[in-house]
Every structure is written in structure tokens, then in C-alpha cells.
Amino acid sequence: MHQSVAVLDFGSQYTQVIARRIRECNVYSKIYPYDIKASILKEDGVQGIICSGGPSSVLSKGAPMPDKKIYELGIPILGICYGLQLMGHLLGGKVEKSSHREYGLGQLTLKKKGKLFGGLPKSLRVWNSHGDRMSKLPKGFEPIGTTENSEFAAIQDADRQFYAIQFHPEVHHSEQGIVVIQNFLHKICGCKGDWSMADFIDESVARIRETVGDERVILGLSGGVDSSVTAALLHKAIGKQLTCIFVDNGLLRLNEREQVKNLYKDHFHLDVRVVNATKLFLDRLKGVTDPERKRKIIGKAFIEVFETEVIKLKARGNYTWLAQGTLYPDIIESVPIGGNPAALIKSHHNVGGLPKRMKLKILEPVNELFKDEVRKVGEALGLPKEVIWRQPFPGPGLGVRVVGPITRRVLDILRKADAILHEEMMAGGYYYKVWQSFCVFLPVKTVGVMGDERTYDNVIALRIVESVDAMTADWARLPHDFLGRISNRIINEVAGVNRVVLDISSKPPGTIEWE
Ligand code: XMP
């Protein structure tokens, strides 16, 4: 049994980020509802408690309150933001509405380092976001840090091991915030820091087995990193009780269906049902040029095909679960200064609308993890680099990379050109360095000359971008000779293409995909 630290969730949009920081310090963390009974925390043997921030004011009616007995457990507590106000409010201090809201970066001056601030400079830039302020300390407490607006921006009662800070140490904007968390975990709670992602796998395997029992699970496999890691994890936990469905919508890249089949069926021995639905998708897309209509048609057809497979499976066995590779959106971490993180969360393209109608229970074994953590899990499970570090590929696939009507012929042209780009990006060592690199088919014919003959053929655009989160992106500055070779190869090797152009638009105002 690993040492663990509890995070009580008072509704902060950073709760998951706190849990993640704790994992980064190699300590196991578990998020509990804010009103969890102290006796349960004791039974679970937690080494310490972190009370998260939250949008409420401790002064308002109905504000979320913890079980007061957590302060009598004799274990260290760190209150962050709302967690600080709680200590003031519940332990005999005083909290008042502040005349100005502290929001954004502020300067924290350390008055006393003690265990919490050990190893830090005297002054730090920290990220604040709160309305209330503590005006009187509870008995036994002393101030250890101040800001312009608050003489009690950081406080401690070292005897009882209670610490509280107004700022958010978990966000990157708080200078050396991670040191504060490390100090709390290692120096105050005495956690050794011997937990790792391999332990995450063991723990989730046990949890999945317990949840699923002898029932069966269905997973939609896309070949992307999230669903692949979910598949490998579930397979480790429940083996043959897992069945994956892979839908070939006819909009995949060259040999993609075979690659997925080889890896998951033949190598990992997963039960994968590969459904070739190319005809259905392409029939419905015939003549459609509007990007939004394309997306809707593809999404709807996917649900139909998937549902048909689910009905077949349910008739065959005790399938009661639908697993999804939902992640905790990593965008929230990089909230711009002064911005609202919630506004930044990208809408996820998971199969919305599926679950209810199909009467399946939802299983999301990696939904507390961030993208980079999921990659670590994938590595520990033995997934190959090409899967773990695969560039993002949109759900509607090549459907949004063919401008204009989608036909088999055009898809074939695009697939061949895209395969050449992929091969060259790999060979040149650029594939894993950029965010995405792909070809777009343009329904434009231009004149060219090949040998002595005049040609009149289509155009392929190269879209190669750098980005950290897909919210903004810029075109990658790759060497001209390298780009020239790609262009030559596509024009020489792909019949139907006589011109290659390079997309040099940034996002915004452009988007990464063309449709
Ligand atoms: P845009 O084109 O909006 O794309 O700049 C941002 C990122 O999202 C991907 N993308 C999608 N992913 N389903 C997905 O799963 C979609 O419908 C979809 N549309 C865009 C895109 O490849 C880029 O990484």
C-alpha cells in the first residue's frame, strides 16, 4: 500500500492540476469530495490533506464545508486559497470580503521560511484568484508570507502542521510553486516519493477488475494514443472480457486499417472487430462540399455503424460497459494570465450521444490523467513509439482534408501524397518535432509540363505546423531542400498531381485543418 495524500475538491478548476503535481512528486494522490468523512480519510491512511481552492466564499450561505473533524485527525493539512479561508473561518479566525479582488500575478514576500517555504527565495511571483481575505488569524497560527493586499497570504500553525496559502502553487505561473508542494509532501507529510506511473497501472488494473467483475466491455478504438492506451490498460486488467471496435470509414490514411489490425490483433492479441464501412460513408458523402455537413454526416454514420456492432455484441454476451479514452484536458494548465481556464477547454470529439441510448455504463480509466501522463502509461504498457507519439488525426479523417467533393479517386491521390510526406518527415527526423504534418487535396486544376507533355492536374497543399496545444499554431520553418524533395516526390510519384504548395498561415487566423 502506497503512502497517499488526499485532495479535497471544493470546486476549483485546478483540483486535477493539484493531483497531477502530487503525482509529479512521485506521491499517490486521491481526489475526494469536499465533505468526505474524516473517518474515511483515516481508514484510507492518508498522510496529509490538501484543501483545494473553489469559487465560493466561506461567508456565503451554503458554502461547501468539510467535515470539521479533519482538523482533529492529527495529520498535516495544506489549505490553498479557499482552503485558507476555511481554516480561518472554522478554526476561530476571521474572514472578510476584500475591497479588491486579487486576480492574477502578485508578489509574495516570505516572512518565515519554516518547512513549507524551505529552499525558496525571499520573494516570489505567485498566481492569485480570490475575493475574500483573512483579517484575524485563528489561535496558534502565525503569518509566514504577505502580499500587497493581505498580511495573511501564507500562514502556519507548525505545531498542528496546518499550513495555508492564498495563492495557487499548482499553476505554472506561480514561481517555484512545485517546491511548495514538494515541501508539503516530503518534509511535512513525510511522503517518501516512491510512487510511479507503473504503480498507477497496478492500481487501475485492480480498480477496473473490481468495477467490471465478470461483465464485458466495449471500446471504440481509433488508433490514437488515448484509445490505444485505454485498450492496452483494459486488456491487461480484463483480457478477453474486452472487445474493441475499429471502424474503417474510408477516410483513413494509407494502410491504416492493416496497421491497427497488425498491432492490436496480432501483436497484443486484443479482440478487435474491424468494420469496413467505407461504402456507407462514401455514399453518404457523395457530392457534399460543405465542411460542417461533411462532419455531421461522418459523425452520424459513425454512431450508426458503432451502434450496429454494439447490438451484435450485446446479443452475443454480457456486454454492459462502454470504455472511453477520455483524458483530463491538459489545456487548463496553461491558462493565460487574466484568462478564464474554463473558457479554454477544447470541446472533446468523443462520441457524444452514444452512451445513453445504448444503455451501457461508462468506464473512463484514464480520465484523471493529462496527455503526457497517458503517454507514460502507454510506454510502461509496451506500446510502440509510433502510437504513443503519433500526431493528432481528426475524427473525420481525410474527409476534412479533401476540399470539395470526396471521391475514392481523390482519396487515393491524397493518401499517396500523404504517405510520401509522412515517410520524408520520419526520414528527415521532423515527424516527432512538429505538431502535425499532412497533405490537403485541393479541387483546383492547374497547368504543368511533364516531359514534353502539357498536364492539367490537381494541387496538393502541405500543412506542417508547430504548436503546444492546438489552440494556436504556426507553420514550421523547414529547410527548403527538404520541402523541395517532398514536392518532387509527390509530383513524380502520385498520378493526378502536378503542383505542390506550402501553407504558410498561422492559427489564428487560420485553423490547422483546412475544413
Ligand atoms: P483546427 O483545425 O481547429 O484543429 O485548428 C485543432 C486540432 O484539432 C484537430 N481536429 C479534430 N480532432 N475531431 C478530432 O478528433 C475533429 O473533428 C477535429 N477537427 C480538428 C486538428 O487535427 C488539430 O490537431
Side-chain angles (χ1 to χ4, degrees):
M1 193 51 188
H2 276 276
Q3 293 174 315
S4 72
V5 166
V7 180
L8 304 200
D9 182 10
F10 290 91
S12 163
Q13 57 278 81
Y14 299 125
T15 301
Q16 300 282 357
V17 184
I18 300 172
R20 185 226 153 98
R21 294 284 172 261
I22 299 173
R23 294 195 290 270
E24 272 174 31
C25 298
N26 295 98
V27 173
Y28 178 58
S29 73
K30 192 169 164 200
I31 296 172
Y32 292 88
Y34 65 85
D35 56 356
I36 185 80
K37 286 224 165 326
S39 55
I40 295 181
L41 296 176
K42 192 167 177 200
E43 256 169 53
D44 287 359
V46 302
Q47 299 279 118
I49 299 170
I50 296 184
C51 294
S52 81
S56 318
S57 159
V58 292
L59 304 171
S60 14
K61 240 174 110 186
M65 289 292 149
D67 177 357
K68 265 189 92 170
K69 294 209 178 80
I70 62 166
Y71 299 106
E72 292 158 23
L73 287 172
I75 56 176
I77 300 183
L78 173 66
I80 295 175
C81 192
Y82 183 79
L84 173 132
Q85 318 298 352
L86 278 176
M87 274 194 204
H89 189 66
L90 296 174
L91 301 179
K94 203 158 177 211
V95 176
E96 286 176 352
K97 282 244 167 289
S98 174
S99 50
H100 29 266
R101 220 185 137 74
E102 237 186 316
Y103 191 80
L105 280 177
Q107 201 73 26
L108 177 79
T109 308
L110 303 185
K111 295 285 170 215
K112 186 167 184 175
K113 291 206 177 162
K115 285 188 182 167
L116 192 65
F117 293 146
L120 290 171
K122 268 212 88 68
S123 172
L124 295 170
R125 279 171 74 70
V126 294
W127 171 261
N128 293 294
S129 148
H130 59 89
D132 295 343
R133 61 184 281 274
M134 190 181 282
S135 55
K136 185 175 151 249
L137 280 180
K139 228 171 134 194
F141 278 81
E142 60 179 330
I144 53 173
T146 58
T147 62
E148 234 172 65
N149 295 331
S150 171
E151 51 183 323
F152 305 133
I155 59 173
Q156 70 173 21
D157 175 343
D159 288 345
R160 287 192 284 176
Q161 306 195 82
F162 292 163
Y163 298 83
I165 48 186
Q166 190 83 265
F167 66 96
H168 289 275
E170 69 276 18
V171 304
H172 280 311
H173 304 308
S174 287
E175 226 169 52
Q176 306 208 42
I178 191 74
V179 176
V180 176
I181 295 173
Q182 271 166 355
N183 284 344
F184 180 70
L185 298 174
H186 301 311
K187 299 211 177 111
I188 297 168
C189 300
C191 293
K192 288 201 284 283
D194 54 1
W195 182 89
S196 71
M197 270 299 163
D199 296 307
F200 169 87
I201 295 174
D202 292 343
E203 282 148 17
S204 23
V205 161
R207 216 175 318 139
I208 293 166
R209 282 186 188 149
E210 199 187 310
T211 313
V212 171
D214 58 5
E215 297 170 359
R216 285 171 176 263
V217 181
I218 298 170
L219 170 76
L221 193 63
S222 72
V225 55
D226 309 344
S227 69
S228 301
V229 172
T230 306
L233 188 59
L234 284 167
H235 184 63
K236 190 176 164 80
I238 54 167
K240 290 262 173 290
Q241 283 163 262
L242 170 73
T243 297
C244 300
I245 299 174
F246 178 80
V247 178
D248 182 349
N249 56 10
L251 305 165
L252 303 176
R253 286 158 296 185
L254 197 66
N255 302 328
E256 200 167 347
R257 178 166 24 132
E258 289 69 31
Q259 282 161 6
V260 166
K261 192 179 147 300
N262 289 345
L263 178 69
Y264 296 100
K265 237 178 160 152
D266 305 342
H267 181 70
F268 278 103
H269 305 295
L270 257 75
D271 176 20
V272 183
R273 298 180 71 117
V274 178
V275 188
N276 184 359
T278 303
K279 188 168 177 328
L280 177 91
F281 279 84
L282 296 193
D283 282 352
R284 293 206 183 158
L285 285 166
K286 204 174 256 165
V288 178
T289 53
D290 177 65
E292 277 312 302
R293 267 197 72 208
K294 282 184 185 172
R295 279 173 185 274
K296 286 217 175 81
I297 291 170
I298 297 167
K300 191 162 167 281
F302 177 82
I303 291 177
E304 279 178 39
V305 173
F306 196 82
E307 200 170 1
T308 306
E309 290 309 304
V310 168
I311 291 167
K312 282 191 214 157
L313 283 174
K314 282 178 101 171
R316 217 184 64 180
N318 187 21
Y319 287 91
T320 52
W321 293 94
L322 177 70
Q324 293 186 334
T326 321
L327 299 190
Y328 187 75
D330 35 353
I331 311 294
I332 203 161
E333 252 197 313
S334 52
V335 42
I337 292 171
N340 171 10
L344 269 182
I345 302 172
K346 205 171 27 158
S347 64
H348 275 240
H349 307 283
N350 279 333
V351 264
L354 260 185
K356 257 192 234 140
R357 193 165 68 202
M358 293 188 310
K359 298 199 171 61
L360 290 167
K361 297 175 275 186
I362 301 293
L363 190 63
E364 295 180 318
V366 293
N367 66 355
E368 281 187 3
L369 299 188
F370 291 72
K371 192 89 176 185
D372 59 319
E373 293 182 305
V374 163
R375 291 202 165 106
K376 282 191 194 132
V377 171
E379 265 162 26
L381 287 168
L383 286 173
K385 185 178 177 189
E386 304 90 78
V387 173
I388 291 172
W389 292 101
R390 197 179 90 136
Q391 293 176 359
F393 185 62
L398 301 184
V400 290
R401 292 179 181 175
V402 168
V403 178
I406 300 168
T407 62
R408 277 179 198 262
R409 181 184 158 270
V410 159
L411 285 168
D412 279 342
I413 292 176
L414 178 58
R415 266 192 271 267
K416 282 182 194 147
D418 197 66
I420 291 172
L421 173 63
H422 182 266
E423 203 180 298
E424 290 294 333
M425 290 295 289
M426 281 288 189
Y430 295 114
Y431 178 85
Y432 295 113
K433 289 196 179 133
V434 302
W435 176 263
Q436 272 172 299
S437 48
F438 55 88
C439 291
V440 181
F441 179 91
L442 308 189
V444 176
K445 287 203 166 190
T446 68
V447 173
V449 51
M450 269 216 176
D452 295 331
E453 266 180 57
R454 176 186 181 276
T455 60
Y456 189 53
D457 265 329
N458 287 101
V459 181
I460 286 286
L462 306 179
R463 183 65 165 149
I464 311 172
V465 295
E466 285 171 349
S467 174
V468 279
D469 55 12
M471 303 298 294
T472 61
D474 199 7
W475 57 283
R477 271 61 165 178
L478 296 182
H480 290 175
D481 288 349
F482 173 73
L483 294 169
R485 186 164 58 247
I486 295 169
S487 164
N488 279 344
R489 276 198 62 193
I490 291 176
I491 292 167
N492 285 325
E493 295 173 35
V494 184
V497 179
N498 66 353
R499 192 176 296 273
V500 170
V501 295
L502 180 66
D503 180 350
I504 53 168
S505 333
S506 62
K507 172 183 179 176
T511 51
I512 296 176
E513 303 290 346
W514 276 43
E515 290 200 331

